[in-house]
């Protein structure tokens, strides 16, 4: 996402939700890049699934329709139907907007989701025999301006906990859209030659290069987060979290702390769960 495509007020809100702009960028204590999860972040989902019981988790079941009346909600997926007292929709706004709602959602909510575009970011990881950049006194962090020759805008040292040297980098905004149209080999060559430019000729001799474009995944459609177009935070923000009948809204975009991050997703899930408990089983809250 380019700065020109989003509301400046949204940018300020997003930074404030992390405790300030530097906290979004830095890898020092308390900042967004401080921790890596040994073994990968998928373990979070797996541990949660174990806690609620795998039999209660339906994979490969995309929700297509949510119908509701004063008593019930009925959720239809591509292979099942569920009758419930309340529904929490946790997918990001641009994907929540693809679900059919009966009756239709209030127009304030519709306008909001139609004006919360998702970003476009691609990620690459490149592994090496040695962390040659450290030997040269570099951190591995490269921040570049927009250019048609260098596809990435930022890289970090991504050496694994076992000490396997690696760099991780991101293509973002119009550069991601531009480079996603190219052949994979062309992208890889452009990344490697840019790393050579910034870190030296050793960057050309890598072990493995891997990349991912979430815009090409049907149930992501972009990443890492949805933003708001100008004016929408001012006039439509109550619709972001306000339940629509039996439907409650969660997901990192609805968080007030660490919006856009995993911590924000957790905070939003806790808030939505409390809303539902208050509605269907308020005695447990007293
Ligand atoms: C490259 C990249 C790097 C990131 N780095 C970090 C980081 O370092 N730290 C950090 O905290 N965060 C990071 N994030 C952001 C983090 O991944 C998100 O904030 C977090 O995943 C949001 O969680 P969520 O539950 O709100 O939404 P999601 O994780 O997007 O989950 C939504 C789920 O809904 C599913 N879904 C969509 N449509 C439907 C449907 N119709 N029916 C049923 N299911 C549906 C999707 O398949 C998905 O599983 C990164 C993201 C990206 C892409």
């Amino acid at each position: 996402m380019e700065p020109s495509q989003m509301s400046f007020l949204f940018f300020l809100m997003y930074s404030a939700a992390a405790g300030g702009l530097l906290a979004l960028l830095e890898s020092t204590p308390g900042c967004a890049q401080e921790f890596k999860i040994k073994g990968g972040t998928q373990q979070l989902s797996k541990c949660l699934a174990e806690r609620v019981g795998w039999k209660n988790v339906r994979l490969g079941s995309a929700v297509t329709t949510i119908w509701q009346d004063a008593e019930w909600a009925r959720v239809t997926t591509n292979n099942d139907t569920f009758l419930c007292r309340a529904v929490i929709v946790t997918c990001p706004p641009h994907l929540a907007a693809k679900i059919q709602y009966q009756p239709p959602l209030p127009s304030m909510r519709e306008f909001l989701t139609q004006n919360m575009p998702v970003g476009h970011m691609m990620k690459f990881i490149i592994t090496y025999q040695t962390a040659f950049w450290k030997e040269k006194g570099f951190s591995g962090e490269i921040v570049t301006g927009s250019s048609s020759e260098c596809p990435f805008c930022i890289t970090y040292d991504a050496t694994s906990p076992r000490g396997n040297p690696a760099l991780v980098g991101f293509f973002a905004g119009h550069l991601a859209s531009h480079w996603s149209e190219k052949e994979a080999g062309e992208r890889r060559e452009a990344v490697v030659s840019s790393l050579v430019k910034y870190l030296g000729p050793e960057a050309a001799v890598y072990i493995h290069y891997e990349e991912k474009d979430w815009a090409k995944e049907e149930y992501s459609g972009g990443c890492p987060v949805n933003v708001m177009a100008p004016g929408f935070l001012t006039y439509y923000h109550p619709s972001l979290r306000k339940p629509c009948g039996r439907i409650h809204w969660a997901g990192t975009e609805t968080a007030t702390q660490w919006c856009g991050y995993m911590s924000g997703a957790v905070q939003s899930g806790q808030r939505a769960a409390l809303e539902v408990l208050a509605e269907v089983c308020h005695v447990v809250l007293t």
Side-chain angles (χ1 to χ4, degrees):
M1 186 66 61
E2 297 298 328
S4 57
Q5 293 173 279
M6 76 168 102
S7 143
F8 185 59
L9 185 60
F10 178 85
F11 168 76
L12 294 177
M13 183 282 291
Y14 191 86
S15 305
L21 180 58
L22 277 183
L24 292 175
L25 303 173
E26 298 287 346
S27 51
T28 45
C31 296
Q33 311 302 328
E34 179 185 3
F35 295 117
K36 282 197 196 84
I37 298 179
K38 208 172 173 179
T41 46
Q42 174 126 43
Q43 293 169 107
L44 295 176
S45 313
K46 288 184 173 167
C47 289
L48 279 172
E50 266 152 35
R51 207 187 279 186
V52 297
W54 278 101
K55 67 178 189 326
N56 298 313
V57 178
R58 308 294 161 106
L59 297 176
S61 302
V63 174
T64 52
T65 309
I66 302 177
W67 168 96
Q68 60 172 323
D69 66 10
E71 289 288 310
W72 296 99
R74 194 174 62 225
V75 176
T76 307
T77 71
N78 47 8
N79 46 30
D80 230 330
T81 297
F82 302 89
L83 200 59
C84 0
R85 298 300 302 276
V87 183
I88 301 176
V89 176
T90 69
C91 53
H94 68 291
L95 296 178
K98 289 188 178 176
I99 297 171
Q100 296 288 316
Y101 300 90
Q102 281 300 331
L105 297 177
S107 51
M108 290 284 275
R109 170 77 201 180
E110 293 283 14
F111 283 135
L112 183 73
T113 48
Q114 285 164 18
N115 287 282
M116 285 193 69
V118 66
H120 191 179
M121 198 157 87
M122 293 175 69
K123 178 176 180 176
F124 69 86
I125 292 190
I126 185 162
T127 56
Y128 288 95
Q129 207 72 48
T130 61
F132 63 88
W133 55 93
K134 285 189 191 159
E135 289 157 15
K136 293 176 148 190
F138 296 143
S139 65
E141 191 167 332
I142 306 168
V143 182
T144 71
S146 294
S147 108
S148 54
E149 286 135 39
C150 177
F152 57 77
C153 53
I154 195 155
T155 68
Y156 297 99
D157 186 311
T159 300
S160 75
R162 287 190 189 152
N164 296 319
L167 292 169
V168 62
F170 298 96
F171 312 180
H174 83 276
L175 283 181
S177 304
H178 171 78
W179 283 94
S180 72
E181 303 274 295
K182 309 262 183 202
E183 291 294 318
E186 197 180 337
R187 270 195 305 274
R188 188 179 59 238
E189 275 174 31
V191 166
V192 172
S193 65
S194 298
L195 290 173
V196 167
K197 178 177 155 196
Y198 292 111
L199 300 175
E202 301 92 330
V205 190
Y206 58 92
I207 299 172
H208 185 71
Y209 173 91
E210 194 67 48
E211 62 175 23
K212 178 84 178 166
D213 184 357
W214 279 272
K216 295 191 172 136
E217 299 278 321
E218 185 177 2
Y219 294 106
S220 297
C223 74
V225 69
N226 296 64
V227 302
M228 283 191 199
F232 283 85
L233 188 55
T234 308
Y235 301 115
Y236 294 86
H237 74 92
S239 305
L240 189 60
R241 287 182 283 272
K242 187 177 173 189
C244 298
R246 309 208 145 263
I247 305 173
H248 297 256
W249 309 103
T252 194
E253 286 80 4
T254 69
T256 53
Q257 284 183 331
W258 287 107
C259 174
Y261 289 81
M262 290 182 278
S263 300
V266 171
Q267 187 220 33
S268 76
Q270 289 171 336
R271 188 256 312 143
L274 286 172
E275 283 172 11
V276 170
L277 282 176
E279 193 178 294
V280 303
C281 192
H282 62 272
V283 283
V284 298
L285 297 177
T286 54

